[in-house]
Amino acid sequence: MALRVTFVLPVFPRAPVGGFRVVYEHANRLTALGCQVTVVHERWREGWSRPLRHLREAARDHRHRRAPHRAIDWLPVDPRVRLLIVPALTPAHLPSGDVVVATHWKTATLLPYLTPAHGSPVHLVQGYETWNVPDPAPVHQALRLPFPKITVSTHLTRVLSDLGVHSGQITTVPNGLDRTTYRPPPTGAPRAGVAFLLSDSAAKDSRTALAALHQVRAHHPALLARAFGVAPRPRDLPPWIHYAQGLTGEDLAAQVYRPSAVFLCSSTTEGWGFPAAEAMACGTAVVSTRNGGVEDFCHHNQNALLVEVGNPTAMANAIRRLLDDEPLRTRLSTAGLATTATMDWQQSTAALLTALKAIS
């Protein structure tokens, strides 16, 4: 009998988001393996404190309900995957099934109220989601709920253990990577400059990345930087920083990762770290903060250079070191390619399915 899996996401996506991508990637492959997969999203709940946005986003969700698969244009979702946008995340709006997978701390708060008909509850932990949360206590409470946990990194497994979650409740299933999309350029293709993610999220700490790049440019006046993000180009972004909005997949690889000599990850925290992994798979040398998630696959002076969080001078020095030392850059990027060669979505989903069957 086919396993019936329900994923619960907090909202319907407005832009490419790593945690959403993980769910849809698994949904596609679980479906190919014979599972019946439903992904439930809560309707946008901005509230009337911002009436114009509330109405705009509510109208968008209403429109997307008619053809949700077409609305996710940044990643093809198997048409056999059932996508639902529901008025509220309550048990009444969830289908019956064998297992229910919460994918965010807020969606995990629904798990205690499910009935056996919904299926066995499990929390897929994709990040230590305390950013933009004034008090981490509700996050900790959700993470400590007495349900099985599946983490995407050993870093998150340690976070849960430090919060008192028993190791027997935790299974680690690392994310995969689409290496047909994220691949190096032809041998000898020129590389120059630094790539980085530009975001207004405090967890990405783009302000420190920009400060670091200004320091690098003081020594490399011709430095070219390539930034990418989901928002429009900031008005105060210097002209020497090229900016691309909304790139994903092959466009992101071709226009940002592959032409760049160095990729900078400035995050204060990562559950896993897709951009760093994608850049590494494209043969770009990586400088990253010690932010947790990337440390599962980024190892200092072996396949990347790691620096402390929030230190622009350390970031700048690491970038300069790679720009000035081509043999070092080549050694790290070659090792990075070997590292990412082990990242595979098929293996990741197979491990997830094994864990879900054991829970159900």
Side-chain angles (χ1 to χ4, degrees), residues 177 179 182 277 280-281 334-344 347:
L177 195 67
R179 297 195 311 278
Y182 301 104
M280 188 177 278
T334 300
L337 288 172
T339 297
T340 55
T342 65
M343 298 176 182
D344 182 84
Q347 293 179 11

Side-chain angles (χ1 to χ4, degrees), residues 49-90:
S49 60
R50 302 176 68 181
L52 290 179
R53 185 174 188 188
H54 175 83
L55 292 171
R56 181 175 67 249
E57 299 297 345
R60 177 184 292 184
D61 275 351
H62 181 74
R63 184 172 66 253
H64 287 168
R65 286 177 62 189
R66 303 172 193 166
H69 289 78
R70 285 205 304 252
I72 306 172
D73 56 2
W74 44 273
L75 189 151
V77 178
D78 191 311
R80 294 172 294 177
V81 176
R82 187 183 179 198
L83 301 179
L84 300 179
I85 302 175
V86 300
L89 292 181
T90 64

Side-chain angles (χ1 to χ4, degrees), residues 14-18 21 73-75 181-182 195-198 226-233 242-260 263 274-275 278:
R14 267 63 184 166
V17 178
R21 182 196 307 182
D73 56 2
W74 44 273
L75 189 151
T181 296
Y182 301 104
F196 69 106
L197 171 64
L198 186 62
R226 297 178 181 87
F228 64 99
V230 298
R233 180 187 177 95
H242 294 185
Y243 182 75
Q245 180 185 0
L247 293 185
T248 60
E250 182 60 42
D251 290 335
L252 179 59
Q255 298 179 38
V256 177
Y257 295 142
R258 290 190 204 118
S260 300
F263 177 80
F274 273 109
E278 292 166 353

Side-chain angles (χ1 to χ4, degrees), residues 191-196 213 216-217 220-227 238-243 255 259-262 319 323:
R191 289 182 180 270
V194 182
F196 69 106
L213 290 173
V216 174
R217 203 162 191 266
H220 292 263
L223 177 72
L224 168 69
R226 297 178 181 87
W240 51 271
I241 299 180
H242 294 185
Y243 182 75
Q255 298 179 38
S260 300
V262 178
I319 293 169
L323 292 177

